[in-house]
Structures are given as C-alpha cells and as structure tokens.
Amino acid sequence: MSFAALAQRPGSNIPRQEKLLNGLKLLMWSDPAATDVKVSIRIHSGSAFDPRGKEGVMQLLANNIFPTNESRAFFAEDLGGSVEVIANYDFIQINASAKSNDFVTLLETLAQAVSNPTIDKETTSALKKALTEKLTVLEMDPVYVADQAAARRLFGDFPYGRPQMGSVESLQRIDFADLQFARERFFSADNATVTISGNFNGDLGFRAARRYLGAWLKSDKRVPSTFRQPDDPDTKPLEIILDRADGRTTFALRGVARSDPEYAASTVFEDILRARLQKTPAHAVVSHHARTLPGVLVISVPGSAAFPFNSFSERISESEFAGARLRTAAGFSKRSVFDQWLDADTYKTTAVGDARAFQTVTLADVQRVADRLAKNPIVSVVVRPPAAAQ
C-alpha cells in the first residue's frame, strides 16, 4: 500500500500532507469516530532567538497570542474545547480544540491569532507585569536559581545560557515594538507547521486552511538556523547564598541534540543513570533536555556533594539496558503522533525514524553515548542558605 493511501486510512499514524502557496505545511489526520477536532500550530522559533539583554521577548510574544482570560475562555464557552500556548527555546506552539461542528470557526480564530495578532502598549505592559510577578517568585526558588546558574556557567552567552522566560531585569528593557519586530521576523507561514486531527472532512479541512491561512505572509528575511557554538565552560564550583535555600548541588554537562543520531541512546542512558542514582542515598534528580542545538544533562542532589562519577563509569549491564529501553520506548510511544510529526519539522528528523530508533537501539549504542557524555566538562553550582556558609 502506498504512503498516500496509508494517510487516508482512519487511525493511521501517517498524515495527509499538503503545502500551501505561502510555504505553510499542513498535516491532517481525519478520524470519523472522534467527537472533536484538534489543531496545533507550531512556530519553529523559540526563545533561543531572544535579543541579548532582552530575554523574554519570545515568551511575551507567545503570551500575547491569547492575552486575556476572555480570549481563552472563548474556546471553552463557545467552541466546547480548550486552548494552550507552549513556549520554549526551540518553538512556540498553540494547541486548541473544539466540537466537530465548530471546526471552521476554530481554524478561523487561530488563523487570525497567528497571522494578524494585536500587539499594543497596554497589552504588552499587562503581560510584562504578569510575567514579572511569576519570575519574582521563581528567582527566589533554590532549584530554579541553581538550574539557571548552571546553564549560564555551561553555555555562557549562548542562547541556552540565558533564561528562557527572561528575568525581572531583562523584562524591563522590552517594549511592544520588540514584540512586533519578533512577530514580523518569526511568525511567518513558511516558518510554521499546522496539524489538524479528529472528526472533520479532509477536503474541507484543506479548503478551510487555504481560505484562512493562505493569506498568512511568508517571511522576507531568512531566519538563521545556527549559532556560534559556546566556549568551553568554567568548571570551577560556583557557590550561591540564598535565603530559604535548603542546600543543593546541581551538576550540568552538555548533552545530545534532538537531531543527533544518538538521541534515542542518550534517552535510554538517562533512564539508566536515573535508576542508578535512585539506589543511592543522594536522592538525585536527573533530566536531559535535548534541543535543536547542544542538549544539557542536569543532575541535582540535596546538600553539598561530589559528582557521581561511578554512575557514569560503571559499564552498562544487559538487564539495565533491557529495562531502560522498554521504559523509554513506552514513554516515547505515549507522546501524541501529532507532536512527533511536529518535532520532525522543528528538529529536521523523521517521525517514523524517531519511533523506530527506540526499537533498534543497542547496548553498544547506549554505552557509546555514555562514554561520550562522560568526556564532557562538568559545571557545578551549590546553593546554600546564609547559615550554611558560615
């Protein structure tokens, strides 16, 4: 059976793929058994593109898409669905749903929000105030402070070394013109992908997309896809004194990019590392953030501790590998097929290949990526209360 034929089968993971004249990519899954319709719009640029010194621009731009309670309530009260906006270093994504018979209204509402949003002084001021209040609390959270300090130490002025949501200080330098400039630069049809799934007619969906999203402008400026790689980090331990801190050490080292051929192997190793450290008294928290550019592996432990080198250097056993591969493959398969296809566009991979990689990864692959990560410089940040420093 052909790829195109598979895309037309209800329940298929293969979408119907279309591309509008303005460069917008459209992926559609039609399911007559569904009771609603879901639409996701992903802009393939995130906070990595914040201007230096004005970190928070892309977060504020994401918050500006549906800036008021009334604009968000419309989806629940009038369309019987919901809406959320996700922003990170790599992309901004809108997820919205509606009852099937309100599909066209849903698409029209979203199209207006991304192609012609209202950006003004009053709304920007309100959004800055709300985000400033959130960051004021976060910047007193020892875990957040440690993670941000470790990222800064690891990446320096590289985008991943700067706070994704900005800081209380950087937000004060941003005005509505910064948001307008970012929108004109990044919110373009040829820098976005749209997914539609649920109970709708595919031909109607394509026509509606052309009608409401076809006028969305292409970019007349090329968005840079790479940055200069960060310098080697300063590995001298950093100590931060913070009121109400309970004492914590955070270690960070550069990890694997999302498009790296060893991404699946690195995810399996993360699971193995987490399982190993959970068996120790340290109660460590392990996370690996794979992004467009170098990822980051973070290990956080209570108190003042040395880096757990033994957990890295110990050779991986067959039983460790088998259990970790099952868990990570199951976890990846739980992600929506729509996000998997969107990730393929953002990170220049293939959705089918990503899923298969978790089934075909070997013990040798995982050991190789473990050895590779063990060679990376390690930064450490200790956050302590004033009394602990005496």
Side-chain angles (χ1 to χ4, degrees), residues 78-263:
D78 292 66
L79 303 183
S82 62
V83 66
E84 66 170 348
V85 181
I86 300 168
N88 58 35
Y89 285 106
D90 296 332
F91 59 80
I92 294 173
Q93 180 171 323
I94 308 165
N95 298 319
S97 64
K99 293 177 293 185
S100 297
N101 57 359
D102 287 319
F103 163 59
V104 173
T105 302
L106 172 65
L107 199 60
E108 181 182 10
T109 303
L110 294 175
Q112 176 68 20
V114 296
S115 64
N116 191 29
T118 300
I119 299 175
D120 55 42
K121 292 182 179 179
E122 292 74 21
T123 302
T124 301
S125 178
L127 293 174
K128 283 175 58 178
K129 180 181 178 182
L131 187 54
T132 297
E133 291 173 353
K134 180 178 181 179
L135 286 170
T136 299
V137 175
L138 278 176
E139 290 178 1
M140 293 301 295
D141 183 326
V143 175
Y144 181 83
V145 170
D147 287 349
Q148 292 300 313
R152 178 70 178 180
R153 199 80 161 180
L154 190 63
F155 292 108
D157 286 333
F158 187 77
Y160 296 164
R162 297 184 267 139
Q164 183 259 310
M165 290 188 292
S167 65
V168 171
E169 181 184 1
S170 70
L171 291 183
Q172 307 316 307
R173 305 189 189 104
I174 299 171
D175 61 30
F176 80 100
D178 296 306
L179 272 64
Q180 185 67 35
F181 177 77
R183 183 199 70 80
E184 292 172 355
R185 187 180 181 198
F186 300 111
F187 271 53
S188 57
D190 52 342
N191 191 37
T193 301
V194 175
T195 66
I196 306 174
S197 62
N199 189 354
F200 70 102
N201 177 276
D203 292 335
L204 171 62
F206 183 39
R207 291 197 301 271
R210 284 190 302 181
R211 177 179 178 182
Y212 295 114
L213 292 165
W216 191 2
L217 297 178
K218 294 178 64 172
S219 175
D220 59 357
K221 299 176 182 177
R222 183 172 180 176
V223 176
S225 57
T226 59
F227 300 88
R228 186 183 72 83
Q229 292 299 301
D231 297 326
D232 289 338
D234 181 355
T235 56
K236 181 180 178 181
L238 173 66
E239 183 177 273
I240 297 175
I241 308 302
L242 185 68
D243 289 338
R244 295 180 296 174
D246 55 359
R248 174 172 300 273
T249 304
T250 297
F251 304 98
L253 60 150
R254 292 175 193 166
V256 173
R258 182 62 178 80
S259 59
D260 193 297
E262 293 187 314
Y263 165 68

Side-chain angles (χ1 to χ4, degrees), residues 243-369:
D243 289 338
R244 295 180 296 174
D246 55 359
R248 174 172 300 273
T249 304
T250 297
F251 304 98
L253 60 150
R254 292 175 193 166
V256 173
R258 182 62 178 80
S259 59
D260 193 297
E262 293 187 314
Y263 165 68
S266 72
T267 305
V268 175
F269 177 64
E270 176 194 351
D271 185 278
I272 291 171
L273 189 61
R274 182 180 296 109
R276 286 177 174 178
L277 290 172
Q278 284 177 347
K279 295 177 182 178
T280 70
H283 302 292
V285 177
V286 179
S287 59
H288 178 239
H289 307 286
R291 301 179 180 131
T292 299
L293 297 167
V296 58
L297 178 65
V298 180
I299 301 173
S300 180
V301 297
S304 179
F307 185 78
F309 286 103
N310 289 342
S311 296
F312 266 76
S313 59
E314 182 183 346
R315 308 309 287 177
I316 299 169
S317 69
E318 285 283 358
S319 60
E320 281 183 308
F321 166 70
R325 184 174 70 170
L326 284 175
R327 289 189 294 270
T328 53
F332 188 83
S333 66
K334 289 179 181 178
R335 297 187 68 243
S336 78
V337 65
F338 322 119
D339 280 338
Q340 292 179 35
W341 280 82
L342 288 169
D343 281 354
D345 274 7
T346 298
Y347 301 111
K348 312 305 179 189
T349 62
T350 64
V352 175
D354 280 346
R356 186 179 297 121
F358 283 91
Q359 302 298 330
T360 60
V361 66
T362 67
L363 172 57
D365 296 331
V366 179
Q367 187 62 65
R368 183 173 59 250
V369 80

